[in-house]
Amino acid sequence: MRSGTASRNLVSYAADWSVWTGYQHPGEAGQWPHLDQLYASPAIDLVAIDNYLPLSDWTTGTGGLDASNWSAPAPTTWPPTAATMNGLGLSGPPMLASLAYLKANIEGGEKYNWFYADSTNLGPGPDPLGSGLTVSRPSGDRANQIRTPYAAGQQLLAPKMLRWWWNNAHQAVYDAGDGQGWVPRGASSKWVPQSRSITFTEYGFPTCDRCTNQPNVFYDPKSTESFTPYWSAWDPAAGGRLAPRRDDTLAALGLQAVYEYWVVDGKNAASPAGLKMVEPAFMAAWNWDARPFPTFPLLGSVWGDAANWRVGNWLGGKGPALPPPAADAPPAPGGPYPGFPTLAGRGWSTRYRPAFATTVAGHVSGRESRATRRSQPTWEIEMTFDVLRMDVIADLQALVGFFGRMRGRATPFTVPVPTYLGQGSSLLCRFAEDAIAPEQFMARLWELRSLKLVSVPA
């Protein structure tokens, strides 16, 4: 790290997300902040976490409790009551691939407002909710979505409580048998509030279905520790096997949620001395492999983990294909046609090709007679792109969102065209394939790096 003109190395220890606030001793009914002595050491510069905290609890079917409590008010006090702990305070239709939903669970939801007292991932099997899918089955309280709210004084037990943890002194939390239950007891640890920044030495998501439900698990069929997240779907594969269902979109959206929440959205904090609560300079998304894509993963004979790339945490060679923003209201009947989005980062090549329609009549003699069916041709427009930006310019989101709004509608849209076509400054068009789902459109857009439009009569 460079400070002024001096450079120095920073020293830390990357604790797992599940134990960074302390190790829970079930037999002794307590949790001790055992790493606080390390964090308080003058030899340690950062509180480092491998941050694989869950950002969703989305079941099969309609989505479960999060979907049904989507618009219910979010808790305004902590600890929440049993009546308020499930509220998310979100607008629009409930959906897992929602940036707002994932952000709401960074300082909310599981491991913040509530927890599951009993939860084991049983691996692939028939969906206990009866969807007919094969899913990674949760057990116990999670299978039935029986949630338990945290109680007063139990902030140390909630690993998403970064803000409270950073701003406060810590005590062990345990049950002394006096009827008070798990509450803070004893002397404070050596942690000095606001003395070290927190950073995420790892954060990321496997590229599989419902990856934000349980981002700390990894699929590796050669390992006994191979799992996919709770409720994630599996599909039939060659040889009568099962393979995890892939989802690049949700993994990319989870990365975006964590980064934007702490770096862009103003949720970070600082001490009076200017020390940041979360230091983004050392936040590291897991992972961008040094092995070049597509050599890895194609050379499976060289690298033993190549088969895990498809649904693993690798970013190279995948998407991202982010879901569209909330749809605008459809155009009013008789109103002006919507326009193809203006993409600020567009550096595309575009090909225009006229298509004529002719009626052909065959005769007994073998001769054919032809007649023009339209006086003016229709046009096929193919746009080929080099890059679609998805940062603050959000070209990709705008394009996919526009497709989602226009697919299946009778109303066409206007597309600017060069005047040398002789068609004026614009054409009325539709997407060449407007019956496919937005997810298919995103996949084809990313795979082919092009899209096609067809003009329609004015």
Side-chain angles (χ1 to χ4, degrees):
M1 180 180 183
R2 183 172 294 275
S3 177
T5 59
S7 296
R8 63 189 182 92
N9 293 324
L10 298 184
V11 178
S12 187
Y13 165 72
D16 183 71
W17 66 272
S18 61
V19 297
W20 80 278
T21 60
Y23 181 76
Q24 201 166 112
H25 301 263
E28 301 175 48
Q31 180 165 311
W32 280 258
H34 66 296
L35 290 174
D36 277 11
Q37 185 168 348
L38 177 69
Y39 297 146
S41 168
I44 296 296
D45 298 291
L46 292 163
V47 177
I49 308 170
D50 286 351
N51 184 352
Y52 292 101
L53 289 158
L55 298 188
S56 62
D57 183 34
W58 205 264
T59 71
T60 53
T62 59
L65 283 178
D66 278 2
S68 61
N69 288 276
W70 186 266
S71 58
T76 56
T77 59
W78 200 97
T81 65
T84 64
M85 66 175 180
N86 294 320
L88 293 167
L90 298 172
S91 59
M95 58 186 298
L96 173 57
S98 161
L99 190 61
Y101 169 58
L102 300 179
K103 286 182 178 182
N105 281 299
I106 291 176
E107 290 187 281
E110 184 184 6
K111 309 295 185 185
Y112 188 90
N113 288 322
W114 52 267
F115 62 95
Y116 285 122
D118 177 20
S119 179
T120 301
N121 191 328
L122 300 175
D127 182 6
L129 297 183
S131 69
L133 295 170
T134 297
V135 301
S136 288
R137 299 157 297 160
S139 65
D141 285 357
R142 187 181 298 273
N144 300 295
Q145 290 203 293
I146 300 173
R147 299 170 172 179
T148 303
Y150 289 102
Q154 293 184 351
Q155 291 94 331
L156 195 73
L157 306 182
K160 286 184 181 176
M161 278 276 180
L162 277 73
R163 199 176 303 275
W164 175 89
W165 188 96
W166 192 67
N167 283 298
N168 292 276
H170 310 147
Q171 297 170 267
V173 177
Y174 59 93
D175 187 349
D178 56 3
Q180 297 184 53
W182 288 51
V183 295
R185 303 174 190 271
S188 295
S189 73
K190 293 186 177 181
W191 167 251
V192 177
Q194 302 183 353
S195 60
R196 304 284 190 280
S197 292
I198 301 169
T199 198
F200 309 141
T201 40
E202 287 183 24
Y203 69 104
F205 305 86
T207 51
C208 64
D209 182 54
R210 291 172 174 78
C211 59
T212 49
N213 279 358
Q214 194 182 9
N216 62 301
V217 295
F218 304 90
Y219 173 71
D220 182 354
K222 297 187 296 295
S223 171
T224 57
E225 299 297 320
S226 175
F227 288 97
T228 64
Y230 302 114
W231 301 110
S232 63
W234 295 64
D235 296 317
R241 298 179 297 107
L242 291 170
R245 182 174 296 177
R246 182 169 164 181
D247 189 344
D248 293 7
T249 298
L250 185 59
L253 200 63
L255 287 168
Q256 183 180 354
V258 174
Y259 177 82
E260 287 188 0
Y261 189 90
W262 294 115
V263 181
V264 179
D265 295 348
K267 301 296 186 180
N268 209 345
S271 70
L275 185 71
K276 295 177 182 177
M277 179 178 74
V278 174
E279 176 50 71
F282 306 106
M283 288 171 51
W286 185 265
N287 70 333
W288 191 276
D289 206 300
R291 295 168 290 186
F293 178 86
T295 306
F296 174 81
L298 293 181
L299 291 185
S301 59
V302 176
W303 293 297
D305 59 343
N308 302 341
W309 172 88
R310 191 182 72 88
V311 294
N313 286 49
W314 286 276
L315 301 176
K318 295 179 178 177
L322 300 182
D328 295 337
Y337 294 106
F340 190 80
T342 300
L343 304 175
R346 177 174 169 180
W348 299 19
S349 60
T350 305
R351 185 178 69 176
Y352 304 91
R353 187 175 65 179
F356 296 88
T358 304
T359 298
V360 180
H363 299 276
V364 175
S365 64
R367 296 176 56 191
E368 292 181 342
S369 59
R370 298 172 179 265
T372 300
R373 296 175 60 187
R374 288 195 298 264
S375 60
Q376 295 293 328
T378 56
W379 288 85
E380 295 178 356
I381 302 174
E382 182 175 5
M383 298 178 177
T384 303
F385 67 90
D386 299 318
V387 64
L388 279 175
R389 296 188 56 177
M390 62 169 189
D391 49 13
V392 292
I393 292 180
D395 279 347
L396 180 61
Q397 295 95 317
L399 178 57
V400 176
F402 183 74
F403 174 82
R405 294 192 291 275
M406 300 310 301
R407 64 186 286 265
R409 295 189 182 277
T411 308
F413 50 86
T414 60
V415 178
V417 295
T419 55
Y420 66 75
L421 297 182
Q423 303 297 313
S425 60
S426 66
L427 280 173
L428 284 176
C429 293
R430 299 192 60 81
F431 287 96
E433 294 183 289
D434 70 347
I436 61 175
E439 292 79 9
Q440 291 176 285
F441 175 76
M442 289 187 287
R444 295 185 189 183
L445 186 65
W446 187 258
E447 180 180 2
L448 301 177
R449 293 186 176 273
S450 67
L451 63 86
K452 290 184 179 181
L453 308 174
V454 291
S455 69
V456 298

